[in-house]
Amino acid sequence: MGGTLATLELADLAAACDVLHAACAHDRAALVAEEKLFGASPRGLPKAIAARKGGILVGVAATCGDRVRVLAVHPAARGEGIGGQLLAACEAEIWQNAARRARLLDEPGNYLAPGIDLTNKDTIAWLERKGYVCRDKHTNLLVDVKHNAKVTEARFAEMVERCAQRGYHVRRATRADSEALSASISMGFGGAWPFEIERALAAEPPGVFVAWRAGRPAAFAAHDGNNQGLGWFGPAGTWPEHRGQGLGEALLVGCLLDIAADHATAEIAWIGPRDFYEKAVGVTGERTFAVMTKDSPFKRATIPPL
Ligand SMILES: CC(C)(COP(=O)(O)OP(=O)(O)OC[C@H]1O[C@@H](n2cnc3c(N)ncnc32)[C@H](O)[C@@H]1OP(=O)(O)O)[C@@H](O)C(=O)NCCC(=O)NCCS
């Protein structure tokens, strides 16, 4: 019973995609396998773990900082202790990083989801049996981008024009904007957003729209800065002095039109102002996620005086 654990190598990516495809019914994990298993976050590179049985890859996990980024066991290999082995290996890494609390999935800048999908009841129950508790909940909104009267090129053009009349130049960002944007977003918003903006800017065409005023960004919005290729919207922000001018709405529609080129539905991740999205583009569905955490069994190390 159980499997053999080892470091997951890039050469295992195709097999890892197969495991994620079979295992993760609630998240499109296989489509972002490389980003989740091997990609950086603002904290650095993850440690990716392979579980094999008879030489065949049957489970994968990745951890970074205090987060378990991804954890999955092929349905044909479940109930044999392999998920437990992978989780214990992730936790060992997390406690070694001196973290006081382990969390699943919601790693800033590189998250598969903002937590475990509430409809993934078996996994939540399994985690609870492993000592995890739900500390918070987050919501993603789903927006129809194919048949939506609020997501059209004509409406976008109108909104861009209205912004221009108010003194704002709305346009797609280019990679040459990277330095100015990153510096402004770092100072105005911080967190993992500059990291996600950089990733969105690297796409072709860059997945970032900006409203400029007097050579400085007044608002920005991005898509596919995390979970690249899934059509997720965010992050987005308008500097406080420029709010209430229709900038956020215009930039949102610009991004959703991009997403519509490849997807029928956009996912607005980790939302704050639900009413804003409802009014701006309509909401067709939502997903809610449980933030599952477990406290370290170890006491905080005594920090020696300087
Ligand atoms: C959650 C998940 C990883 C569990 O994987 P698993 O390999 O079945 O997990 P385990 O075998 O360790 O645990 C399952 C049960 O088998 C039992 N078990 C059977 N044989 C065992 C053995 N030899 N050693 C230890 N436990 C064993 C465990 O006690 C456990 O019982 P419990 O469910 O009552 O706690 C798996 O169901 C999965 O991949 N889910 C979908 C992926 C997902 O949604 N991940 C989150 C987003 S990435």
Side-chain angles (χ1 to χ4, degrees):
M1 281 303 216
T4 309
L5 301 195
T7 299
L8 185 79
E9 307 289 351
L10 201 51
D12 297 318
L13 183 59
C17 283
D18 291 344
V19 170
L20 290 172
H21 182 71
C24 299
H26 302 266
D27 301 285
R28 288 172 287 164
L31 298 179
V32 287
E34 186 168 359
E35 185 182 296
K36 298 308 129 190
L37 294 168
F38 301 107
S41 79
R43 297 148 167 216
L45 290 169
K47 182 180 167 63
I49 308 166
R52 289 192 175 76
K53 253 188 89 180
I56 310 278
L57 190 75
V58 292
V60 294
T63 178
C64 190
D66 63 348
R67 300 301 207 272
V68 178
R69 238 194 232 176
V70 64
L71 169 72
V73 174
H74 194 288
R78 288 191 188 161
E80 299 179 24
I82 295 169
Q85 284 178 297
L86 284 168
L87 184 60
C90 288
E91 287 173 357
E93 186 73 19
I94 289 169
W95 309 144
Q96 227 171 57
N97 292 338
R100 300 284 301 140
R101 183 172 280 172
R103 293 166 66 129
L104 273 106
L105 300 194
D106 64 334
E107 183 185 352
N110 197 342
Y111 54 97
L112 178 61
I116 309 282
D117 193 312
L118 282 191
T119 61
N120 192 355
K121 291 194 173 83
D122 289 350
T123 300
I124 291 175
W126 181 82
L127 288 166
E128 284 170 345
R129 290 194 293 275
K130 302 277 178 208
Y132 283 77
V133 294
C134 173
R135 290 217 171 251
D136 204 356
K137 286 185 184 155
H138 295 300
T139 299
N140 282 3
L141 300 179
L142 305 176
V143 175
D144 177 348
V145 290
K146 280 286 190 218
H147 309 285
N148 186 337
K150 291 184 165 177
V151 184
T152 64
E153 293 289 352
R155 182 165 183 248
F156 182 52
E158 262 169 42
M159 290 193 293
V160 169
E161 176 54 30
R162 213 173 311 132
C163 293
Q165 285 163 8
R166 290 176 175 157
Y168 295 95
H169 179 208
V170 170
R171 65 164 171 82
R172 185 188 295 281
T174 70
R175 285 187 265 288
D177 297 321
S178 163
E179 213 172 300
L181 266 181
S182 281
S184 300
I185 295 170
S186 293
M187 282 188 289
F189 300 94
W193 286 9
F195 179 89
E196 290 180 56
I197 291 294
E198 283 299 318
R199 193 154 49 198
L201 273 177
E204 194 45 57
V208 183
F209 285 82
V210 181
W212 299 89
R213 178 156 198 157
R216 298 175 67 153
F220 70 93
H223 66 87
D224 291 272
N226 175 63
N227 282 339
Q228 199 152 47
L230 296 193
W232 282 37
F233 173 81
T238 299
W239 274 265
E241 60 272 34
H242 301 291
R243 288 183 189 161
Q245 312 255 16
L247 303 180
E249 195 171 348
L251 301 179
L252 167 66
V253 172
C255 286
L256 295 190
L257 284 167
D258 268 8
I259 292 172
D262 298 311
H263 306 272
T265 303
E267 191 150 347
I268 301 180
W270 220 315
I271 55 135
R274 191 187 199 287
D275 293 351
F276 164 77
Y277 292 108
E278 182 70 75
K279 190 161 157 270
V281 290
V283 171
T284 42
E286 60 184 72
R287 301 172 65 199
T288 306
F289 303 88
V291 177
M292 303 295 292
T293 75
K294 178 178 174 177
D295 287 346
S296 166
F298 301 105
K299 289 204 163 57
R300 188 187 291 273
T302 311
I303 301 169
L306 286 173

